Amino acid sequence: MFGRRACTVVERTTYGPYVVVDVHDPDGPAPAPGQFYMLAAVERWGGGDGERPFLPRAFSVLRAREGRLSFLFDDVGPGTNRLMDLDREDELWLTGPLGEGWRPTDRRPILIGGGVGIAPLVALADTLDAPEVLLGFRDAHHAQAAALVTQGSDPSVTTDDGSAGHHGLVTELLPDDLSGVELFACGPPAMLEAIRRLGVPAQLALESGMACGFGACFGCVTPLAEGGYARVCVDGPVFAAAELAEVPAH
Amino acid sequence: MIDFCGLQLEHEVINGSGTFDAIAARRAFGAELLDRFPFSAFVSKTITLKPRAGNPPPRLWETAGGMINSIGLPNKGLAGYLEHDLPQLAELPVPLITNVMGSTAEELTELAAACDERPEIAAIELNVSCPNVATGLDIGAVPAELERVVAGVRPATTKPLIVKLTPNTADVAACGRAAEAGGADAVSLINTLRAMALDSDGEPWLGGRTGGLSGPAIRNVAVAQVAAVAAGVTVPIVGMGGVQTGAHALDLLRAGATLVAVGTESFRDPAAGGRIARELREKAANSANPFA
Ligand SMILES: Cc1cc2nc3c(=O)[nH]c(=O)nc-3n(C[C@H](O)[C@H](O)[C@H](O)COP(=O)(O)OP(=O)(O)OC[C@H]3O[C@@H](n4cnc5c(N)ncnc54)[C@H](O)[C@@H]3O)c2cc1C
Ligand SMILES: Cc1cc2nc3c(=O)[nH]c(=O)nc-3n(C[C@H](O)[C@H](O)[C@H](O)COP(=O)(O)O)c2cc1C
Ligand code: FES
């Protein structure tokens, strides 16, 4: 659907420090898991820290059903801060669905997410039959978001401080033998870079600073293994790990 | 219909070069993009002779009322553009303006001559915001140099030649006059203003160290520069810089522009150009009615 559209917030739920906002989007095309939207609040977008936000912000679709879209927000700056403040009846500008999502595989999928990066994995898990899901969080408070995974086996959880689940990095939960497996990962750059370096079949959902989300500005690029750059918004956000030169720190 | 250098355009609003990729947008939005195409002419992003990868990331910094970009003009190069992009851009429902950049008159002449041969291209825009390797100044920043470059390119094409002026100059009005004296059929302005953002350690944030400021933050600079150039040239002007509404577009038209280009606002809403054209039409209808 061309152009942005105003959608109404119908529900707001908290999961530890995270907020899930559901919006009514009766006319938009159904998104594929791993796709994203550019979002901006209709009211009070701007005037935050440094007079920002000005540009819309990119968010993975967390869940989509019957004309309703859910997004998961983590407060990292003026844009996410404003979006987390949205309540029922508030309006949101929305452009999308955008980008290339997860690609199907014949291999055994393992979903591996870190922090707010679990969002596109929740969308993917909804379409799979009881996939294995590994999630890493900072602490028990953040780990409350693991409850968002309702499809399949209970997710295995790790925390950085050991306050819930396994004490350590989520990548430590990966089986030693990854033959026949394909990893589907989203999370902090260091986690994705560690997974890329495993050299096994993997799809990585990247983040990048974006101005437009539809290929117009060339601002969101990531370096490719073959040289040059790809636009995260239109060539991704999901990339095969082998395509990437590295997962840049920002 | 608006007559612009002989092109018959549906309305006054076009896109700023490098701020709308019609090929990517068609993939993202489908056929609806063509049915509701927001611009009355489409300007390509800057094409250079050789392919360019662009600057290392990060390439974007958000500011109060705008953004700084250091994209670095990534493009497939002239041959790649003509072979891969041009056939797809020719399917757009509006005339195509190809924007080219070179660091010498010879390079620009080669680019203009190649565009001249292609009937799909309606007009050529010269981006003269390219640093001169010898002086570090933009080639378009010094009026005498600009006139020499434009005069060198002029014989290479009979298509309308638009010179996109750099705002990073001491005297933009003199640059406008120099472009006209060199044979430009139109001038466009403003390009982005050179700007820098520092990270929390005091180091430049952008991979290209400096970048170009665009968006509402530069709107009134654009109005001033368009008015200054309009006072000294007879050729038509494409005004741009921070346009977000029909009222902003009208300001640039009143300052002396014939067309208005929308850049950064398309990032906030891909369909912004169409909305701005509609708002402009409504304003014109209202001001024709003294009781409105
Ligand atoms: C495809 C995709 C999907 C995403 N999905 C989600 C999701 O589901 N949930 C979620 O919470 N987030 C998601 N994100 C991340 C989200 O888009 C960012 O967290 C958000 O844009 C941050 O905006 P902000 O204004 O809150 O913070 P900002 O301050 O804009 O951003 C924080 C970071 O940007 C940099 N920065 C600081 N100041 C500036 C400035 N002036 N200009 C430019 N950069 C600056 C710094 O690195 C800072 O750490 C996704 C991103 C992408 C690309
Ligand atoms: C991300 C970005 C990329 C741009 N790329 C080009 C370019 O390739 N060639 C060019 O002549 N101008 C380029 N510009 C400048 C715009 O065409 C325009 O002159 C400027 O952004 C001012 O308009 P605005 O405030 O509406 O964006 C670019 C601007 C932006 C923001
Ligand atoms: S965000 Fe603009 S090209 Fe990707």
Side-chain angles (χ1 to χ4, degrees), chain A residues 168-191:
Chain A
L169 300 174
V170 67
T171 42
E172 291 165 14
L173 296 187
L174 283 171
D176 291 331
D177 181 8
L178 287 170
S179 53
V181 165
E182 179 153 355
L183 302 176
F184 293 79
C186 184
M191 175 194 129

PDB file of all heavy atoms in Angstrom, chain A residues 168-191:
ATOM      1  N   GLY A 168      24.292 -16.564  31.316  1.00  0.00           N
ATOM      2  CA  GLY A 168      25.303 -16.474  30.255  1.00  0.00           C
ATOM      3  C   GLY A 168      24.695 -15.983  28.960  1.00  0.00           C
ATOM      4  O   GLY A 168      23.601 -15.409  28.936  1.00  0.00           O
ATOM      5  N   LEU A 169      25.425 -16.229  27.882  1.00  0.00           N
ATOM      6  CA  LEU A 169      24.989 -15.753  26.572  1.00  0.00           C
ATOM      7  C   LEU A 169      24.067 -16.775  25.914  1.00  0.00           C
ATOM      8  O   LEU A 169      24.235 -17.988  26.086  1.00  0.00           O
ATOM      9  CB  LEU A 169      26.200 -15.517  25.664  1.00  0.00           C
ATOM     10  CG  LEU A 169      27.215 -14.501  26.162  1.00  0.00           C
ATOM     11  CD1 LEU A 169      28.432 -14.462  25.239  1.00  0.00           C
ATOM     12  CD2 LEU A 169      26.573 -13.116  26.262  1.00  0.00           C
ATOM     13  N   VAL A 170      23.124 -16.259  25.128  1.00  0.00           N
ATOM     14  CA  VAL A 170      22.141 -17.147  24.510  1.00  0.00           C
ATOM     15  C   VAL A 170      22.805 -18.119  23.526  1.00  0.00           C
ATOM     16  O   VAL A 170      22.349 -19.254  23.357  1.00  0.00           O
ATOM     17  CB  VAL A 170      21.006 -16.316  23.847  1.00  0.00           C
ATOM     18  CG1 VAL A 170      21.525 -15.515  22.661  1.00  0.00           C
ATOM     19  CG2 VAL A 170      19.843 -17.201  23.429  1.00  0.00           C
ATOM     20  N   THR A 171      23.908 -17.699  22.921  1.00  0.00           N
ATOM     21  CA  THR A 171      24.588 -18.575  21.961  1.00  0.00           C
ATOM     22  C   THR A 171      25.162 -19.825  22.643  1.00  0.00           C
ATOM     23  O   THR A 171      25.413 -20.837  21.983  1.00  0.00           O
ATOM     24  CB  THR A 171      25.724 -17.811  21.250  1.00  0.00           C
ATOM     25  OG1 THR A 171      26.424 -17.026  22.229  1.00  0.00           O
ATOM     26  CG2 THR A 171      25.188 -16.894  20.173  1.00  0.00           C
ATOM     27  N   GLU A 172      25.337 -19.756  23.993  1.00  0.00           N
ATOM     28  CA  GLU A 172      25.848 -20.927  24.725  1.00  0.00           C
ATOM     29  C   GLU A 172      24.836 -22.067  24.733  1.00  0.00           C
ATOM     30  O   GLU A 172      25.191 -23.218  25.016  1.00  0.00           O
ATOM     31  CB  GLU A 172      26.185 -20.533  26.173  1.00  0.00           C
ATOM     32  CG  GLU A 172      27.383 -19.604  26.261  1.00  0.00           C
ATOM     33  CD  GLU A 172      27.493 -18.914  27.632  1.00  0.00           C
ATOM     34  OE1 GLU A 172      26.815 -19.345  28.580  1.00  0.00           O
ATOM     35  OE2 GLU A 172      28.274 -17.943  27.724  1.00  0.00           O
ATOM     36  N   LEU A 173      23.572 -21.765  24.442  1.00  0.00           N
ATOM     37  CA  LEU A 173      22.540 -22.812  24.438  1.00  0.00           C
ATOM     38  C   LEU A 173      22.450 -23.561  23.108  1.00  0.00           C
ATOM     39  O   LEU A 173      21.715 -24.548  22.997  1.00  0.00           O
ATOM     40  CB  LEU A 173      21.156 -22.206  24.736  1.00  0.00           C
ATOM     41  CG  LEU A 173      20.947 -21.572  26.107  1.00  0.00           C
ATOM     42  CD1 LEU A 173      19.492 -21.178  26.286  1.00  0.00           C
ATOM     43  CD2 LEU A 173      21.372 -22.515  27.229  1.00  0.00           C
ATOM     44  N   LEU A 174      23.198 -23.102  22.117  1.00  0.00           N
ATOM     45  CA  LEU A 174      23.140 -23.789  20.817  1.00  0.00           C
ATOM     46  C   LEU A 174      23.743 -25.188  20.944  1.00  0.00           C
ATOM     47  O   LEU A 174      24.745 -25.376  21.639  1.00  0.00           O
ATOM     48  CB  LEU A 174      23.932 -22.996  19.770  1.00  0.00           C
ATOM     49  CG  LEU A 174      23.240 -21.754  19.209  1.00  0.00           C
ATOM     50  CD1 LEU A 174      24.223 -20.954  18.357  1.00  0.00           C
ATOM     51  CD2 LEU A 174      22.009 -22.139  18.394  1.00  0.00           C
ATOM     52  N   PRO A 175      23.127 -26.185  20.293  1.00  0.00           N
ATOM     53  CA  PRO A 175      23.712 -27.525  20.331  1.00  0.00           C
ATOM     54  C   PRO A 175      25.092 -27.528  19.670  1.00  0.00           C
ATOM     55  O   PRO A 175      25.362 -26.701  18.802  1.00  0.00           O
ATOM     56  CB  PRO A 175      22.723 -28.372  19.531  1.00  0.00           C
ATOM     57  CG  PRO A 175      21.821 -27.434  18.819  1.00  0.00           C
ATOM     58  CD  PRO A 175      21.893 -26.120  19.500  1.00  0.00           C
ATOM     59  N   ASP A 176      25.975 -28.457  20.109  1.00  0.00           N
ATOM     60  CA  ASP A 176      27.315 -28.544  19.511  1.00  0.00           C
ATOM     61  C   ASP A 176      27.239 -28.950  18.057  1.00  0.00           C
ATOM     62  O   ASP A 176      28.001 -28.491  17.217  1.00  0.00           O
ATOM     63  CB  ASP A 176      28.176 -29.559  20.283  1.00  0.00           C
ATOM     64  CG  ASP A 176      28.497 -29.035  21.681  1.00  0.00           C
ATOM     65  OD1 ASP A 176      28.560 -27.798  21.826  1.00  0.00           O
ATOM     66  OD2 ASP A 176      28.636 -29.864  22.594  1.00  0.00           O
ATOM     67  N   ASP A 177      26.293 -29.851  17.779  1.00  0.00           N
ATOM     68  CA  ASP A 177      26.164 -30.354  16.405  1.00  0.00           C
ATOM     69  C   ASP A 177      25.049 -29.588  15.692  1.00  0.00           C
ATOM     70  O   ASP A 177      23.870 -29.766  16.004  1.00  0.00           O
ATOM     71  CB  ASP A 177      25.846 -31.857  16.441  1.00  0.00           C
ATOM     72  CG  ASP A 177      25.731 -32.421  15.028  1.00  0.00           C
ATOM     73  OD1 ASP A 177      26.044 -31.675  14.061  1.00  0.00           O
ATOM     74  OD2 ASP A 177      25.318 -33.588  14.906  1.00  0.00           O
ATOM     75  N   LEU A 178      25.443 -28.740  14.762  1.00  0.00           N
ATOM     76  CA  LEU A 178      24.458 -27.902  14.066  1.00  0.00           C
ATOM     77  C   LEU A 178      24.158 -28.445  12.664  1.00  0.00           C
ATOM     78  O   LEU A 178      23.596 -27.735  11.832  1.00  0.00           O
ATOM     79  CB  LEU A 178      24.953 -26.457  13.993  1.00  0.00           C
ATOM     80  CG  LEU A 178      24.912 -25.690  15.332  1.00  0.00           C
ATOM     81  CD1 LEU A 178      25.643 -24.354  15.214  1.00  0.00           C
ATOM     82  CD2 LEU A 178      23.482 -25.475  15.808  1.00  0.00           C
ATOM     83  N   SER A 179      24.551 -29.683  12.386  1.00  0.00           N
ATOM     84  CA  SER A 179      24.292 -30.201  11.038  1.00  0.00           C
ATOM     85  C   SER A 179      22.785 -30.357  10.833  1.00  0.00           C
ATOM     86  O   SER A 179      22.056 -30.782  11.736  1.00  0.00           O
ATOM     87  CB  SER A 179      25.017 -31.533  10.811  1.00  0.00           C
ATOM     88  OG  SER A 179      24.700 -32.426  11.845  1.00  0.00           O
ATOM     89  N   GLY A 180      22.335 -29.961   9.670  1.00  0.00           N
ATOM     90  CA  GLY A 180      20.916 -30.033   9.350  1.00  0.00           C
ATOM     91  C   GLY A 180      20.105 -28.895   9.920  1.00  0.00           C
ATOM     92  O   GLY A 180      18.898 -28.810   9.708  1.00  0.00           O
ATOM     93  N   VAL A 181      20.788 -27.984  10.643  1.00  0.00           N
ATOM     94  CA  VAL A 181      20.078 -26.880  11.302  1.00  0.00           C
ATOM     95  C   VAL A 181      20.213 -25.598  10.479  1.00  0.00           C
ATOM     96  O   VAL A 181      21.218 -25.389   9.798  1.00  0.00           O
ATOM     97  CB  VAL A 181      20.659 -26.662  12.723  1.00  0.00           C
ATOM     98  CG1 VAL A 181      20.233 -25.322  13.308  1.00  0.00           C
ATOM     99  CG2 VAL A 181      20.265 -27.815  13.640  1.00  0.00           C
ATOM    100  N   GLU A 182      19.198 -24.750  10.507  1.00  0.00           N
ATOM    101  CA  GLU A 182      19.347 -23.367  10.041  1.00  0.00           C
ATOM    102  C   GLU A 182      18.941 -22.435  11.179  1.00  0.00           C
ATOM    103  O   GLU A 182      17.879 -22.617  11.790  1.00  0.00           O
ATOM    104  CB  GLU A 182      18.485 -23.104   8.803  1.00  0.00           C
ATOM    105  CG  GLU A 182      18.623 -21.655   8.315  1.00  0.00           C
ATOM    106  CD  GLU A 182      18.370 -21.480   6.825  1.00  0.00           C
ATOM    107  OE1 GLU A 182      18.174 -22.488   6.112  1.00  0.00           O
ATOM    108  OE2 GLU A 182      18.351 -20.312   6.378  1.00  0.00           O
ATOM    109  N   LEU A 183      19.814 -21.468  11.462  1.00  0.00           N
ATOM    110  CA  LEU A 183      19.543 -20.531  12.552  1.00  0.00           C
ATOM    111  C   LEU A 183      18.798 -19.310  12.016  1.00  0.00           C
ATOM    112  O   LEU A 183      19.108 -18.812  10.927  1.00  0.00           O
ATOM    113  CB  LEU A 183      20.854 -20.084  13.201  1.00  0.00           C
ATOM    114  CG  LEU A 183      21.720 -21.206  13.776  1.00  0.00           C
ATOM    115  CD1 LEU A 183      23.046 -20.630  14.303  1.00  0.00           C
ATOM    116  CD2 LEU A 183      20.977 -21.928  14.904  1.00  0.00           C
ATOM    117  N   PHE A 184      17.833 -18.851  12.788  1.00  0.00           N
ATOM    118  CA  PHE A 184      17.092 -17.617  12.487  1.00  0.00           C
ATOM    119  C   PHE A 184      17.321 -16.686  13.658  1.00  0.00           C
ATOM    120  O   PHE A 184      16.853 -16.967  14.765  1.00  0.00           O
ATOM    121  CB  PHE A 184      15.603 -17.918  12.321  1.00  0.00           C
ATOM    122  CG  PHE A 184      15.292 -18.763  11.117  1.00  0.00           C
ATOM    123  CD1 PHE A 184      15.485 -20.138  11.131  1.00  0.00           C
ATOM    124  CD2 PHE A 184      14.798 -18.172   9.963  1.00  0.00           C
ATOM    125  CE1 PHE A 184      15.208 -20.915  10.012  1.00  0.00           C
ATOM    126  CE2 PHE A 184      14.511 -18.943   8.843  1.00  0.00           C
ATOM    127  CZ  PHE A 184      14.722 -20.312   8.862  1.00  0.00           C
ATOM    128  N   ALA A 185      18.073 -15.596  13.420  1.00  0.00           N
ATOM    129  CA  ALA A 185      18.534 -14.807  14.561  1.00  0.00           C
ATOM    130  C   ALA A 185      18.253 -13.326  14.413  1.00  0.00           C
ATOM    131  O   ALA A 185      18.326 -12.765  13.319  1.00  0.00           O
ATOM    132  CB  ALA A 185      20.041 -15.017  14.753  1.00  0.00           C
ATOM    133  N   CYS A 186      17.925 -12.708  15.553  1.00  0.00           N
ATOM    134  CA  CYS A 186      17.803 -11.251  15.611  1.00  0.00           C
ATOM    135  C   CYS A 186      18.165 -10.811  17.019  1.00  0.00           C
ATOM    136  O   CYS A 186      17.746 -11.439  17.993  1.00  0.00           O
ATOM    137  CB  CYS A 186      16.384 -10.802  15.264  1.00  0.00           C
ATOM    138  SG  CYS A 186      16.193  -9.008  15.215  1.00  0.00           S
ATOM    139  N   GLY A 187      18.950  -9.741  17.115  1.00  0.00           N
ATOM    140  CA  GLY A 187      19.363  -9.276  18.426  1.00  0.00           C
ATOM    141  C   GLY A 187      20.484  -8.270  18.304  1.00  0.00           C
ATOM    142  O   GLY A 187      20.707  -7.720  17.225  1.00  0.00           O
ATOM    143  N   PRO A 188      21.210  -8.026  19.403  1.00  0.00           N
ATOM    144  CA  PRO A 188      22.292  -7.029  19.367  1.00  0.00           C
ATOM    145  C   PRO A 188      23.358  -7.417  18.332  1.00  0.00           C
ATOM    146  O   PRO A 188      23.576  -8.614  18.086  1.00  0.00           O
ATOM    147  CB  PRO A 188      22.887  -7.098  20.778  1.00  0.00           C
ATOM    148  CG  PRO A 188      21.922  -7.857  21.605  1.00  0.00           C
ATOM    149  CD  PRO A 188      21.083  -8.678  20.705  1.00  0.00           C
ATOM    150  N   PRO A 189      24.025  -6.426  17.745  1.00  0.00           N
ATOM    151  CA  PRO A 189      25.019  -6.698  16.707  1.00  0.00           C
ATOM    152  C   PRO A 189      26.073  -7.723  17.134  1.00  0.00           C
ATOM    153  O   PRO A 189      26.452  -8.594  16.330  1.00  0.00           O
ATOM    154  CB  PRO A 189      25.654  -5.331  16.450  1.00  0.00           C
ATOM    155  CG  PRO A 189      24.597  -4.345  16.831  1.00  0.00           C
ATOM    156  CD  PRO A 189      23.800  -4.976  17.934  1.00  0.00           C
ATOM    157  N   ALA A 190      26.542  -7.663  18.384  1.00  0.00           N
ATOM    158  CA  ALA A 190      27.598  -8.592  18.823  1.00  0.00           C
ATOM    159  C   ALA A 190      27.089 -10.036  18.769  1.00  0.00           C
ATOM    160  O   ALA A 190      27.832 -10.954  18.408  1.00  0.00           O
ATOM    161  CB  ALA A 190      28.058  -8.243  20.231  1.00  0.00           C
ATOM    162  N   MET A 191      25.821 -10.249  19.121  1.00  0.00           N
ATOM    163  CA  MET A 191      25.237 -11.587  19.072  1.00  0.00           C
ATOM    164  C   MET A 191      25.143 -12.071  17.624  1.00  0.00           C
ATOM    165  O   MET A 191      25.529 -13.204  17.304  1.00  0.00           O
ATOM    166  CB  MET A 191      23.838 -11.551  19.706  1.00  0.00           C
ATOM    167  CG  MET A 191      23.086 -12.855  19.592  1.00  0.00           C
ATOM    168  SD  MET A 191      21.317 -12.626  19.983  1.00  0.00           S
ATOM    169  CE  MET A 191      20.604 -13.402  18.552  1.00  0.00           C
TER     170      MET A 191
END
